[in-house]
Amino acid sequence: MKSPKSISRSEFLNQVGALGTVAALTQPALAKSRPVPDTPPGTVDRKIRLAVIGCGSVSNMYLPHLSKSPYVELVSTCDIIPERAQKAASKYNIPNHYPHIDQLLAGAPFDLLVNLTNMQEHGRLNKQALLAGKHIWSEKPMANNYREGRELLELAQKKQLRIWGAPAVVMSPQFAFMAQAIKAGKLGKVSAAHAHYGHLGPTWSAFFYEKGGGSLPDLGVYNLATLTGLLGPARSVMAMTSIVTPTRKTDNKGDVPVEAEDNAMVLIDHGNGTLSHVQCGFNYFDPYGHEGTGQEKPTITVWGTQGNLALIGYDWAPFGVDLATAADEKGQRYVTDPSDYRWEMGASVIAEHIALGKEPLIQAEHALHVLEIIEAARTSGQTGKRVKLQSSFRWPLV
Ligand SMILES: NC(=O)c1ccc[n+]([C@@H]2O[C@H](COP(=O)([O-])OP(=O)(O)OC[C@H]3O[C@@H](n4cnc5c(N)ncnc54)[C@H](O)[C@@H]3O)[C@@H](O)[C@H]2O)c1
């Protein structure tokens, strides 16, 4: 294969698409990579052209990160509230802004769509963009149900394109430390794990509480990605879900009835005897605030016959990992430096990996597996039955 440096952008993106097809069909051991150190701006000869759709709350985290990436050329913004698209374009010097996806796709050419819209819109918009020949980075969930997600992945493969979905938790150095400790046998035989994430719920948009929203795809998704990333794909799931607060006051729609679960408990069987538990909800008071700054207690714990691990802070913004083993019973804290990891880095990481022709640690199949767990948890919650899963992903990650 020619060096990526010697090929045009369209040739290169075609090759990346072909790589993705082969990867998904045959699951080869593609190079697993960490983000490369920042290259000074001006030295990168292949920038990936990006369009951002959905210029609401989370775009205020994504756009500053994307605008600093030497691998990214921000081409367009889009929002059905046109002033949001216009404001974001003007703030980050982005040349084009559009009020609708049809105009975005027919407008200035770009390579990668970054989808930051309401959760319920993801499947539809991702499909439309794939059909128009765009690669996708989607905020979670990448589709509204497992079947739709599977179809999106198949569509991407057919069109020699790629689609990836948030979260980016597997990129953190704390995740890498925990995964390596488990792989090195420091915990002995891993038996059990727990993860939790919650807050008092978003106020700015009603979609979090409407059908297709809920605490599982908004919050539990991080813990599910972390625990399956550490312990392996889930074989089956049992869960209970509930609605604790039946009505919410929201900025955009006033009082709305809560239709999706705002409280969830999920039990996961990872096979080989390893069981884990995830709890999430929109009714969790946390004296340390949303980011848990200053938090000393773990939100993720993993136990084995010879040791245990505890991740301090949330998995999307961790502060360190405590490891105690039979050989070091008092234990120590490790990896207190987040390095260049940021939870909002997913789209920048994908652009960088496309530009460099490398396969990222984040896998579409992992996001799809987490989506299947969420669906299975809801089914289990309704039926009281244990639900077997079909999907899997390349594991171990690290
Ligand atoms: N807000 C956060 O801190 C945060 C953090 C991580 C992930 N997320 C995820 O990011 C996504 C967006 O969340 P948010 O908090 O930014 O919501 P938001 O309501 O603040 O923003 C969503 C934006 O998408 C726009 N939009 C909706 N449908 C559209 C369409 N069809 N075409 C174009 N624009 C459309 C809305 O007008 C709005 O401006 C969700 O999937 C959420 O789970 C949010």
Side-chain angles (χ1 to χ4, degrees), residues 56-58 79 84 116 121-122 139-140 204-205 218 222:
S57 165
V58 82
D79 200 298
R84 289 192 180 176
L116 309 180
E121 294 289 274
H122 293 177
E139 253 305 332
K140 39 37 176 204
W204 53 94
S205 284
D218 191 49
Y222 294 96

Side-chain angles (χ1 to χ4, degrees), residues 138-317:
S138 177
E139 253 305 332
K140 39 37 176 204
M142 64 188 262
N144 291 79
N145 55 58
Y146 173 65
R147 205 181 91 181
E148 186 181 44
R150 187 72 254 160
E151 283 168 6
L152 286 180
L153 208 57
E154 283 161 9
L155 175 62
Q157 287 158 13
K158 207 166 111 198
K159 294 195 63 88
Q160 303 211 334
L161 293 164
R162 301 295 300 272
I163 176 169
W164 289 275
V169 283
V170 299
M171 301 296 301
S172 83
Q174 289 81 6
F175 176 89
F177 177 86
M178 293 174 87
Q180 277 154 6
I182 291 169
K183 197 172 174 184
K186 296 216 158 114
L187 306 197
K189 166 114 183 66
V190 175
S191 52
H194 163 82
H196 66 268
Y197 175 31
H199 51 64
L200 290 173
T203 49
W204 53 94
S205 284
F207 74 80
F208 292 100
Y209 305 107
E210 291 169 345
K211 198 167 180 299
S215 61
L216 275 166
D218 191 49
L219 306 181
V221 65
Y222 294 96
N223 289 169
L224 292 169
T226 296
L227 289 189
T228 50
L230 290 174
L231 307 179
R235 307 271 177 91
S236 62
V237 160
M238 286 190 85
M240 286 191 191
T241 60
S242 68
I243 291 174
V244 172
T245 305
T247 308
R248 289 275 177 169
K249 191 176 277 307
T250 62
D251 296 343
N252 66 334
K253 292 192 181 171
D255 286 347
V256 292
V258 174
E259 295 167 326
E261 87 288 321
D262 64 2
N263 199 29
M265 297 276 176
V266 186
L267 284 170
I268 301 167
D269 179 353
H270 298 266
N272 299 319
T274 307
L275 303 176
S276 73
H277 170 246
V278 166
Q279 68 175 74
C280 63
F282 289 139
N283 300 277
Y284 285 19
F285 168 74
D286 183 348
Y288 292 93
H290 180 231
E291 305 225 336
T293 309
Q295 174 69 273
E296 276 295 313
K297 292 178 192 157
T299 64
I300 311 267
T301 39
V302 185
W303 288 271
T305 52
Q306 297 291 314
N308 65 53
L309 284 162
L311 180 134
I312 309 304
Y314 291 118
D315 52 358
W316 53 275

Side-chain angles (χ1 to χ4, degrees), residues 1-4 7 9-21 160:
M1 192 172 121
K2 281 191 281 181
S3 150
I7 62 176
R9 185 210 306 271
S10 60
E11 282 172 326
F12 178 72
L13 288 171
N14 282 339
Q15 286 188 8
V16 167
L19 239 184
T21 307
Q160 303 211 334

